[in-house]
Amino acid sequence: MAKKLRLGEILIEKGFITEKQLHNALIHQKGKNKRIGKVLIDLRYVNELQVAEALTEQLSLKMVDCSHYRPSNEVLSLIQKKTAEQKLILPLDRNHGVLLVAMANPLDWETIEDISFKSGLTLQVSISSENNILTAIETFYGSDKDTWDVLKELPEYDNAEFVKEEDNSQDPNYTLQSLYKNSEAPPVVRLVTTLIAGAVNACASDIHIEPNRRDVAVRYRIDGALKKTQTFPKQVQDAVISRIKIISNLDITNRRLPQDGRGALRIEGRTIDLRISTLPSAHGEKVVIRLLDAAKGLISLNELGIADEISVPMKEIFSQPQGMLLVTGPTGSGKTTTLYSTLLQLRNETKNIVTLEDPIEYELDNVIQVGVNEKIGFTFANALRSVLRQDPDIVMLGEIRDLETAEISIRSALTGHFVLSTLHTNDTVATISRLIDIGIEPFLITSAVSGILAQRLIRQICPECKIETDPPEALIGKGMPPLDKYYRGEGCGNCNNTGYKGRVGVYELIRMDTNLKRIISKHHTEDDLWKCAMESGTKPMFQDAWQKVADGITTVEEVVSKVPYSKSTVNV
């Protein structure tokens, strides 16, 4: 009698994997409660069908395609949908005392015996791939009977109304009628409205809609941190995403390519601009919605919380008729808000102010705003050339991304214009190094750049649950200066039990003085630049942040996680 081969040996024999791949998979399997077939699939050595084919040979079982069956409701009732999804088992047919089932793991004897005992039937097991079974479960069982009832119980937002921008470039017949029909169903409309209006009420900046294998998770970004708020059934995933696409003029038939769109929600007398981005993923399209509230996003420079020792010289810089002010920091550090606040301070009837943005986030009166579109070749560099022929006094450039844009911006600052822009760098000194790295000559930097502002956003302690606490462990081994008192938030209803409510900026400013220009021209290191800047009065961002810890505004943990700290540049 021939020896029965193991699954891995069969896969090798069929040429699906190599011995080395099997050995690697066995190493990965150690200590994990996973079948070798599943490990091989996770490592992408084989696909589900290849494993199913090998199992049929190993166990002498039949492989089936579940879509070829039409099980009756009586047969489906023998195994609950939840069990079918968890155990990857599907009832296909019943013949007298025998129940034909498809399984992804036919060696799951516990599940086989349990279902046989509960149904009083003998199970005839066949094999199918995991994906084939899950697709059939969705098809045969349909939506949970409570799914639509749950959606109907969502709160009403009678005062919320989506506002679509007109788009005449689309063919009106380009969509699928079924997607439109499902996306316009009242429960789906209510769910989408609830997701977005709920985010507005929670003061969220972004909504993440993330498809998983069995449900769809929703997370809000509040005060810079993501927080899971709810899940909704997988069965309405396509309808919900189609609804979001419809309100943002996106193609609901295109699910294979990323798309970007925009819409608006009018609620309680104010309009919230929506920036929608879709991204194909393994379990469907992920959607991110950015919420832009002009009432909160457009704030004056005085409201940013910049200390006088920074705001006073900063105002002196942009009151000059020419030069350049760069605002730096990573994504999400509030650079755009600072630029808008500066423009609010600068705009008046005597100045021609033009902005170049990708995209335009907030609309400003008495400011000409131009949206850059790199897909059609209308880049920052090309747009800036055109703007300079429009006799501007002040130009705001959304971001300096390359040498061409940087060179044109610097020439503009040298020829009678004041330029505002951003760079993605960690601090003020790193911005100088970055400009040199992309090809800008040091003498141009010293001539054109008037000042550099670096910033971060850190969370504030919730005032409702603020308490005094012991020095945190984050201080141990860091060499940070001690304080008399430390505070934190316990967590309450006001802050969703996070201990934080709202954010505040921390800043550092470099002014281009004679000493710093001399150091830059001689190609000195960043340490030398820092030493010179601090001798000229620059205070590192950490000092601003640490002062906010001392004042009980934020916590040590928040500062340590968000603000760069170096003993060589900090002397507090």
Side-chain angles (χ1 to χ4, degrees):
M1 183 176 178
K3 180 184 175 183
K4 192 173 183 179
L5 294 178
R6 296 182 178 182
L7 180 65
E9 294 170 333
I10 295 173
L11 290 168
I12 292 173
E13 189 177 81
K14 287 181 171 293
F16 293 154
I17 62 172
T18 65
E19 290 186 6
K20 184 177 180 180
Q21 287 174 327
L22 176 60
H23 178 70
N24 190 34
L26 290 170
I27 293 173
H28 277 78
Q29 188 189 31
K30 285 183 179 179
K32 299 177 183 177
N33 187 23
K34 269 190 178 183
R35 294 174 283 123
I36 188 63
K38 181 64 175 172
V39 174
L40 288 164
I41 292 171
D42 290 344
L43 291 172
R44 298 188 177 183
Y45 292 157
V46 292
N47 58 41
E48 291 181 353
L49 285 177
Q50 289 171 330
V51 171
E53 184 181 329
L55 280 171
T56 60
E57 183 173 323
Q58 181 192 28
L59 303 175
S60 300
L61 295 175
K62 180 182 177 183
M63 186 163 75
V64 299
D65 184 344
C66 298
S67 65
H68 293 166
Y69 290 81
R70 290 293 179 270
S72 65
N73 290 334
E74 182 184 356
V75 170
L76 292 172
S77 67
L78 294 172
I79 300 177
Q80 293 182 352
K81 183 182 179 183
K82 184 177 180 181
T83 301
E85 289 177 330
Q86 289 178 344
K87 302 299 183 180
L88 296 171
I89 181 171
L90 179 69
L92 299 174
D93 194 14
R94 175 180 178 176
N95 187 10
H96 300 295
V98 177
L99 177 64
L100 175 64
V101 297
M103 297 184 72
N105 178 19
L107 297 176
D108 185 358
W109 304 114
E110 185 179 343
T111 298
I112 293 172
E113 291 174 0
D114 184 55
I115 293 174
S116 179
F117 175 77
K118 289 179 179 177
S119 64
L121 301 171
T122 300
L123 265 61
Q124 180 183 341
V125 178
S126 57
I127 297 175
S128 187
S129 69
E130 181 176 329
N131 188 58
N132 186 261
I133 291 174
L134 287 171
T135 301
I137 289 172
E138 267 193 58
T139 302
F140 298 150
Y141 283 91
S143 300
D144 292 332
K145 66 178 183 177
D146 296 330
T147 294
W148 294 99
D149 291 335
V150 169
L151 295 182
K152 289 175 183 176
E153 293 173 2
L154 292 170
E156 295 278 4
Y157 281 92
D158 295 329
N159 58 347
E161 173 191 6
F162 286 105
V163 183
K164 269 202 331 182
E165 295 184 352
E166 292 186 7
D167 186 357
N168 298 321
S169 64
Q170 295 282 10
D171 180 350
N173 298 315
Y174 78 106
T175 56
L176 295 176
Q177 189 62 33
S178 60
L179 286 175
Y180 259 120
K181 182 177 179 181
N182 289 336
S183 66
E184 297 294 339
V188 172
V189 173
R190 189 181 301 172
L191 174 57
V192 173
T193 305
T194 300
L195 292 178
I196 299 176
V200 173
N201 290 338
C203 299
S205 61
D206 301 87
I207 306 168
H208 289 241
I209 300 172
E210 302 169 330
N212 300 311
R213 181 181 289 278
R214 294 183 175 87
D215 59 24
V216 182
V218 179
R219 295 196 290 172
Y220 291 167
R221 187 176 292 280
I222 302 172
D223 294 335
L226 282 171
K227 180 179 177 61
K228 186 175 180 180
T229 57
Q230 60 179 287
T231 59
F232 60 82
K234 188 75 172 177
Q235 290 79 7
V236 296
Q237 172 183 314
D238 289 343
V240 167
I241 292 174
S242 295
R243 172 65 182 165
I244 293 171
K245 286 184 174 182
I246 287 170
I247 65 176
S248 54
N249 288 319
L250 296 179
D251 184 354
I252 65 173
T253 65
N254 183 357
R255 301 183 185 180
R256 296 184 178 183
L257 294 173
Q259 296 187 67
D260 295 305
R262 59 187 297 172
L265 176 70
R266 189 174 293 126
I267 181 170
E268 296 178 354
R270 56 191 175 124
T271 300
I272 309 297
D273 288 328
L274 310 174
R275 301 288 185 270
I276 290 91
S277 173
T278 70
L279 183 69
S281 68
H283 301 298
E285 290 176 282
K286 178 184 176 180
V287 178
V288 174
I289 304 174
R290 170 151 288 189
L291 309 175
L292 300 173
D293 185 353
K296 294 182 178 179
L298 290 176
I299 59 178
S300 69
L301 204 57
N302 295 330
E303 294 176 294
L304 287 179
I306 304 177
D308 289 344
E309 58 189 8
I310 293 178
S311 65
V312 171
M314 181 178 165
K315 290 175 182 178
E316 291 174 359
I317 289 172
F318 61 64
S319 64
Q320 299 171 2
Q322 68 182 46
M324 177 183 284
L325 176 65
L326 295 172
V327 182
T328 73
T331 301
S333 60
K335 299 186 298 295
T336 302
T337 299
T338 300
L339 288 181
Y340 275 110
S341 299
T342 304
L343 289 178
L344 289 176
Q345 178 91 15
L346 291 172
R347 63 177 180 174
N348 60 56
E349 293 181 356
T350 67
K351 296 185 185 296
N352 176 21
I353 301 177
V354 183
T355 73
L356 298 176
E357 306 172 62
D358 182 20
I360 298 171
E361 294 197 7
Y362 300 109
E363 294 183 4
L364 296 171
D365 294 332
N366 302 319
V367 174
I368 304 300
Q369 295 175 268
V370 180
V372 171
N373 188 343
E374 298 199 356
K375 292 180 181 178
I376 61 173
F378 191 50
T379 63
F380 276 113
N382 293 336
L384 185 53
R385 288 192 184 94
S386 299
V387 165
L388 293 176
R389 293 191 286 270
Q390 293 281 315
D391 186 32
D393 296 296
I394 299 169
V395 178
M396 192 271 270
L397 193 64
E399 182 184 348
I400 294 176
R401 299 176 179 174
D402 51 44
L403 175 59
E404 185 181 15
T405 307
E407 285 180 333
I408 300 171
S409 301
I410 283 178
R411 289 196 190 102
S412 304
L414 292 171
T415 54
H417 308 91
F418 191 83
V419 179
L420 294 161
S421 191
T422 70
L423 273 172
H424 285 84
T425 57
N426 286 329
D427 55 49
T428 49
V429 167
T431 304
I432 298 171
S433 301
R434 171 63 177 155
L435 289 172
I436 294 173
D437 286 342
I438 65 175
I440 300 298
E441 293 292 339
F443 75 90
L444 289 175
I445 297 173
T446 59
S447 300
V449 177
S450 306
I452 304 170
L453 181 75
Q455 65 179 74
R456 294 290 191 280
L457 290 176
I458 57 176
R459 292 181 292 176
Q460 300 181 91
I461 299 172
C462 174
E464 300 292 329
C465 58
K466 178 179 175 181
I467 61 168
E468 190 174 335
T469 185
D470 295 327
E473 293 182 1
L475 284 174
I476 298 174
K478 298 285 185 178
M480 295 180 182
L483 299 173
D484 293 334
K485 294 181 179 180
Y486 299 88
Y487 299 91
R488 66 176 178 87
E490 280 190 302
C492 63
N494 182 53
C495 59
N496 291 319
N497 294 313
T498 63
Y500 297 97
K501 185 71 173 179
R503 290 191 290 177
V504 64
V506 292
Y507 306 89
E508 72 184 27
L509 176 70
I510 276 184
R511 294 191 69 175
M512 197 64 67
D513 63 11
T514 304
N515 290 333
L516 193 58
K517 289 179 180 181
R518 176 175 50 81
I519 294 293
I520 294 172
S521 299
K522 292 183 178 180
H523 299 275
H524 281 268
T525 65
E526 285 194 7
D527 285 343
D528 293 330
L529 289 172
W530 261 118
K531 183 178 179 181
C532 180
M534 293 174 68
E535 288 174 353
S536 300
T538 295
K539 290 187 177 180
M541 193 189 312
F542 179 82
Q543 285 190 241
D544 188 22
W546 198 250
Q547 185 59 50
K548 288 180 168 60
V549 175
D551 294 340
I553 296 173
T554 189
T555 64
V556 172
E557 292 86 352
E558 185 69 4
V559 169
V560 169
S561 65
K562 301 285 176 60
V563 181
Y565 169 70
S566 171
K567 293 181 184 179
S568 63
T569 60
V570 179
N571 182 23
V572 285

